[in-house]
Amino acid sequence: MSDKRKMAINANSELYNVERWGNGYFAVNEKGHLCVLPEKREDGPTIDILEVIEEIRSQDIPFPTVIRFHDILRSQVRLLNQTFREAMEESGYKGRFVGVYPIKVNQTREVVEEIIEAGEPFDYGLEAGSKSELLAALSLNENRNSLTVLNGYKDEEYIRLAFLGRKIERKIVIVVENFSEFAIIIRLAEEMNVVPLIGIRAKLSVQGAGRWAGSSGDRAKFGLTCSEILNGITLLKRHGLADSLKLLHFHVGSQIPDIRILKEAVSEAGRIYADLVLSGLNIEYFDVGGGLGVDYDGSRSSSNSSRNYTLQEYAADIVAVLQQICDQANIHHPHIVSESGRYVTAHHSCVITNVVDIIHQTTNSFNTEKTSGEHILVSNMRESARDLTMENYQEIYNDVQQSKLDCIQAFKLGVISLEERAKIETLYWKIIGQIRDIMKRADFVPKELQQIDELRASQYLCNFSVFQSAADTWAIHQLLPIMPVNRLDERPTERCSIADITCDSDGKIDRFIAKNGYAQSLLLHALRKGEEYYIGLFLTGAYQDVMGDMHNLFGRLNEVHIYCDDDDPSDFYIEEVIKGASAQHVLSTMQYSPEIMARTIKRKIDRQVHRGKIQPREGVKLIDFYESCLEGYTYLKF
Ligand SMILES: *Cc1c(COP(=O)(O)O)cnc(C)c1O
C-alpha cells in the first residue's frame, strides 16, 4: 500500500475518532472501508461494512437500511456480566451479579432474544416499565433463575400480570415507585394467593447530572422518601409480607457523565440498605438502576455525550462502595443488580444512508459584470473583491458581512433589483472563498474568521429521516458518530452538514464530533459521478432504533441482521432481512385505507379514459403505478 493511502487511512481514523467511540468494535481496514471487529481483536474476524452494503444491494434491498451486528450485542452482554463478576472476585465480594436488560432501550424482539440467549450463562434477566413491556418480558424470559424487574407506574392490571408471572414461577420483582402501590400489591397478593417479590425505589437526595439529571433528587418523578419507605414497611409487616421485600432500587438517570455521582448514589442507597437490614429485613438485592454511559463523542470526558469512566471502573466502584458499607455494618453483601441498557445495545446497530444530492452554498453563480447605472452596493462589493489582500482580509470580511445585510434591506425596500441581489450574493461568496484561501497561508487567524469554513459548508442531502433514525440528535442535541464507510483511504475535502429528506427545516444534523468538543460541520469526500457514497450513523442501537416517529410518514427502515462467521470468506452472513415500512403500511396507521385510495384513483382515471383524455393503455399504466407506489418503500429510490 502506498504511503499516501496509509497516511490518509490513519488521518481519517483520527478525524472521525473511530477508535475512541468504536470501543474496539470499529476500525478502518486497508481498503479504506470501515469494518467491524466483532471480537474486538484485529487478528480476529473482520466484517467489511462495504461488503455488507454490496450484499444488501445485490439482494435489491433499498437504502436507508439499519444494520444490526448481533455479535456486538452478545459481546456487550458478556462484557457487562463478566466485568462485574471479575470486580466482585477481585475484592472478595460475597454476593452475585444478576443484571437485567431494560427493554425500553430497544424492544425489538430479535434484540431482546439475542440478549437473553447471550445472558443465559449469567442468569441475566429483563426489566420492564409498562404493561406491554411486561407482556413481552413474560413471553421471552424463560430462565427461572433470572430476575424480571418491574418499574414504572402501575395499575391493578399491571400487578395482576406480574402475579400471573409468579404463578408460572418467574422471579418477578415489583418495584414500588409510588406509595399507593403498596396497597394494591397487598390486596392482590391475598386475592390471587401469591407470594410477591417486592422492591422499593428510593428517592435519593443525590442530584444526577447530564440530560437526565431530573431522574433523582427531591423533585424526581419516581421513588419513595425515607418516611414513605418506613411507612411502607410497616404496612407490609402488618400483612405478614415483610419477608417479600427483597430489593432496594435507585436510578440516577441515563448516561451518567460523571462517576462521582454514581458513587454518591451508591453510598446513600447503601446506607438505606444497611439500616433496613439491621432492622431485621432480609433484602437480597441491591439494584443500581441504569445509567452506565456510552462515549458517543469519544472524548472520555464528563460532557453530556460522553462519560469520564470505564466499565471496569463503574463495576469496581459500585462493588467497593457497597462492600465497605456492608462490612462496616457487619451485614451480608447483597446481590447486585444493574439495569444498564444503553451500554448493552448502543454499539450493535447503525443506519446506512446514501447521499442523494448536495445543496451548495456557494457554487451557483450569476454573471457579475459591471452594467451601467448599477447600484452602488453592487459596485462596492465588486471593489471589495478587487481590493482584497493578505493584509486587509479581516477588514474586508467585516465590510462584506455588513454589505450583505444592507443588500437584503435594500432589496426588501425595492431599492435594488433581483438581478442586483444575485450579483451581490455571487460576489460575496467569491470573496469568502478568497478569504479562505488567504487564511490557509496566514500564520494567525482571528477567532471570528475561523468559522468561515462553516459559513461555506454545503449540505449533503441524505436519504433518511432524522426524526425516524436519530431522534435524540434533534430532540436533545445528542452527538452521534457520523462518518463515511468507504473512501477512507482518501482525504475528505468537503465541509458539510447533513440534511435529511423530510420537509422539516429541523431535519438536519449540524453537530458533529470534533477534536475539541463539537463542530457544526463535518469533512466528507467530494461526490463522484456514478459512484455511491455511503454515510453511517453509528451507536444507534440504544433508544434511537425504537424512538423514531412518523414525521412525513417515512416509517421504519429496512433492517439487515448480520452474524459473524469465521469460516465464510467475508466473515459474515445475512441471517435475516426485515422489510421497512411501505407507504400503505404507514398510511393505514393513520386510518387511511389503501384499498379505497387505490379504488378512488382508478375510478378517476377510468373516467378520464372514457372522456378520451387518457389513452386506455396509459390509464392502466397509471393505475398500476399508483398501486406500486402504495406497496413500495417510503424513502427515496435511486
Ligand atoms: C431508562 C431506565 C434504565 C435504563 O437506563 P440506561 O441509561 O439505558 O442504562 C434503567 N432503569 C430505569 C428505572 C430506567 O428508567
Side-chain angles (χ1 to χ4, degrees), residues 287-307:
D287 182 344
V288 298
L292 172 52
V294 167
D295 193 4
Y296 290 96
D297 64 14
S299 69
R300 290 181 206 164
S301 68
S302 58
S303 78
N304 281 349
S305 295
S306 187
R307 54 167 162 81

Side-chain angles (χ1 to χ4, degrees), residues 102 104-105 127 151 201 249 251 254-255 290-291 339-342 543:
K104 75 155 189 257
V105 182
E127 186 265 2
N151 292 315
R201 174 165 181 168
H249 169 278
H251 174 66
S254 200
Q255 185 69 12
E339 304 175 349
S340 279
R342 184 186 293 277
Y543 302 101

